[in-house]
Amino acid sequence: MSKEIKTLFRQYLNDNFSEEDFLLFYDLLAEKKYDRRELEEVMEEMMNEEAFVMQGGDSDKEAVLASLLANIDDEKKNRKPVTILQMNLRRWIAVAAAATGILLGGYLLLHKPHHKELAKIEKTDVQPGRNGAVLTLANGKQIALDSAGNGMLSQDDDTKIVKQDGELSYAREAASGQHPVYNTLSTPRGRQFQVKLADGTKVWLNAESSIRYPTFFEENERTVEVTGEAYFEVAANAKMPFKVKLGQMAVDVLGTHFNINGYEDENGVKTTLFEGRVKVTQPGASVLLKPGQQAKATGTENINIADDIDLEQVAAWREGNFHFDNSDLHSIMRQLARWYDIDVRYEANVSMHFGGNISRNVTLSKVLEMLQATGTVNFEIKGRTVIVRR
């Protein structure tokens, strides 16, 4: 490798890197003027420096290095714009400290910047979503949980419905011979909520989702129906299997943790298993999942299984984060639309991908600024509409 590239690496690490330096660095890689082994040595040397600390330790170092080298290899094969890794994490840590709530998970994948100044995002900002939902009882009565205080909300025969610290719970005091009735918990855009069912199963609802369930379970099966996205921690009971229905698809479990995503504007229904074992069934297909696998159902007959799923990305919403791992912009904007209750208008054909972590508790402009910092896309906020431009 030329001395020039080593110098550029060092300049960038030491915050002494101009736009011209960046473009030169990009061009040297794009024009194949490097040796893979020497590039790997320089990267490893930089990552082992005391001043260059990554949150994930050695595993993140390996992931970062592999990502950079893979993108350079793609450039060699396809002559497509290479994805450049932002190596100076200290600069991003400073940004994170200045913007409360932003957490960068070790690295952020950046694209080659345009030769223009970034447009300033208008500060008619949008606040993040929060806990809140609407509970619809069997008699049609609706309770807005945003404004409801802690305590008992309703009692149906021998079942009490209680709200406490952002969670709805059901408690059956005695068996009276009554049959259960069904309630529905719904989250609009910009809201999320948690419910503990009568059997002890915990369910987290993402924005724009719902779950229909009985006030208590009887006979030989526990069945609920969902829309949108939900994370389940199912209470084990071998004598009473748990079933989740979403349209024509069903997930059968005994006791397990899994996430199901079936938004209508996404491509298919995804069931991701964290612990235990589940069976995913459609009218024309059925599969068994192991932990770390994801079943994607499209249509009524096709179910595809993917291994080695990024579980952190799947469950990030429940942990209060956005986690982007080579995510395409349209998918990211759909997530933002549901959480910030916004509409998105595209005034450009955009197809770029992004990676990084950021809290769901920051304002909309903070997320957009992180994406815009790549230099590949610009945003404007007008009321509750986000305009996407190049």
Side-chain angles (χ1 to χ4, degrees):
M1 178 182 295
S2 70
K3 183 177 180 180
E4 190 174 26
I5 259 231
K6 292 183 179 179
T7 301
L8 287 170
F9 270 127
R10 295 300 167 195
Q11 286 179 211
Y12 201 49
L13 183 63
N14 293 322
D15 285 336
N16 184 22
F17 208 74
S18 67
E19 182 179 355
E20 290 75 17
D21 291 330
F22 188 95
L23 294 174
L24 175 59
F25 174 75
Y26 175 89
D27 290 339
L28 285 170
L29 297 184
E31 292 169 9
K32 314 175 191 178
K33 293 182 179 178
Y34 73 94
D35 176 271
R36 181 189 180 96
R37 180 184 58 80
E38 291 184 337
L39 176 60
E40 186 171 350
E41 288 176 357
V42 173
M43 285 289 293
E44 185 64 27
E45 183 181 346
M46 290 171 57
M47 290 180 177
N48 287 331
E49 289 183 356
E50 231 178 88
F52 192 85
V53 180
M54 302 192 68
Q55 293 179 354
D58 290 338
S59 60
D60 265 358
K61 290 179 183 179
E62 293 174 4
V64 170
L65 182 56
S67 175
L68 177 63
L69 296 177
N71 280 301
I72 294 172
D73 285 342
D74 286 343
E75 165 62 22
K76 291 178 67 178
K77 293 176 183 177
N78 305 319
R79 297 299 299 168
K80 294 179 180 179
V82 68
T83 301
I84 298 297
L85 179 69
Q86 171 67 298
M87 287 178 239
N88 188 356
L89 296 187
R90 288 177 295 170
R91 184 177 302 168
W92 279 107
I93 292 170
V95 173
T100 302
I102 295 181
L103 299 174
L104 296 179
Y107 60 93
L108 178 66
L109 298 180
L110 298 181
H111 295 265
K112 181 180 179 181
H114 291 284
H115 295 269
K116 63 181 180 180
E117 184 179 351
L118 296 177
K120 184 178 180 181
I121 296 177
E122 295 294 331
K123 289 302 182 182
T124 54
D125 214 344
V126 178
Q127 296 300 312
R130 62 182 189 273
N131 275 345
V134 175
L135 174 64
T136 303
L137 303 178
N139 60 11
K141 178 183 177 182
Q142 291 189 326
I143 301 174
L145 300 180
D146 299 47
S147 55
N150 289 333
M152 189 171 72
L153 301 180
S154 178
Q155 182 166 3
D156 182 16
D157 294 324
D158 52 9
T159 302
K160 288 183 177 181
I161 306 174
V162 177
K163 178 191 174 187
Q164 187 68 39
D165 298 330
E167 180 184 76
L168 200 65
S169 64
Y170 286 73
R172 193 180 186 199
E173 295 185 331
S176 63
Q178 297 288 330
H179 291 293
V181 295
Y182 279 79
N183 289 178
T184 300
L185 184 66
S186 305
T187 53
R189 281 186 170 194
R191 297 292 186 273
Q192 63 182 18
F193 214 76
Q194 181 179 342
V195 58
K196 185 177 181 181
L197 304 180
D199 67 331
T201 293
K202 292 184 178 182
V203 186
W204 287 259
L205 283 184
N206 203 349
E208 207 171 14
S209 304
S210 70
I211 179 170
R212 182 177 181 268
Y213 52 92
T215 51
F216 62 90
F217 296 100
E218 63 176 359
E219 298 179 350
N220 299 320
E221 188 176 81
R222 298 170 287 170
T223 302
V224 301
E225 300 172 22
V226 299
T227 66
E229 183 169 25
Y231 184 96
F232 286 82
E233 289 186 359
V234 178
N237 185 342
K239 296 180 180 180
M240 189 179 289
F242 196 95
K243 177 176 287 188
V244 179
K245 293 183 177 181
L246 198 161
Q248 297 187 68
M249 195 194 78
V251 179
D252 293 279
V253 306
L254 292 176
T256 189
H257 296 189
F258 67 96
N259 190 87
I260 186 167
N261 182 322
Y263 287 114
E264 291 184 359
D265 58 358
E266 300 292 345
N267 182 22
V269 180
K270 298 176 182 177
T271 303
T272 308
L273 183 60
F274 288 72
E275 295 180 16
R277 200 170 185 183
V278 302
K279 180 173 73 172
V280 180
T281 305
Q282 288 212 110
S286 179
V287 299
L288 289 173
L289 289 185
K290 298 177 182 178
Q293 291 184 326
Q294 181 182 85
K296 183 176 180 180
T298 56
T300 59
E301 297 183 354
N302 297 320
I303 302 178
N304 298 315
I305 296 180
D307 295 303
D308 300 323
I309 293 298
D310 184 350
L311 298 180
E312 181 183 355
Q313 181 182 19
V314 174
W317 68 269
R318 188 175 72 91
E319 302 297 330
N321 297 310
F322 293 109
H323 181 93
F324 307 135
D325 183 7
N326 198 31
S327 305
D328 70 271
L329 183 61
H330 287 270
S331 171
I332 291 172
M333 296 310 295
R334 288 194 295 270
Q335 292 183 54
L336 299 185
R338 288 190 283 265
W339 184 236
Y340 291 93
D341 188 16
I342 57 170
D343 295 317
V344 181
R345 189 170 83 230
Y346 294 90
E347 293 188 353
N349 183 17
V350 290
S351 59
M352 61 281 295
H353 291 67
F354 300 86
N357 294 333
I358 189 168
S359 170
R360 285 179 22 134
N361 294 323
V362 302
T363 61
L364 175 61
S365 67
K366 296 296 183 185
V367 184
L368 298 182
E369 284 169 359
M370 185 185 82
L371 300 174
Q372 188 168 280
T374 64
T376 61
V377 65
N378 283 302
F379 303 96
E380 181 182 355
I381 302 174
K382 285 190 174 181
R384 302 200 79 86
T385 298
V386 172
I387 302 169
V388 182
R389 301 188 178 99
R390 292 297 295 269

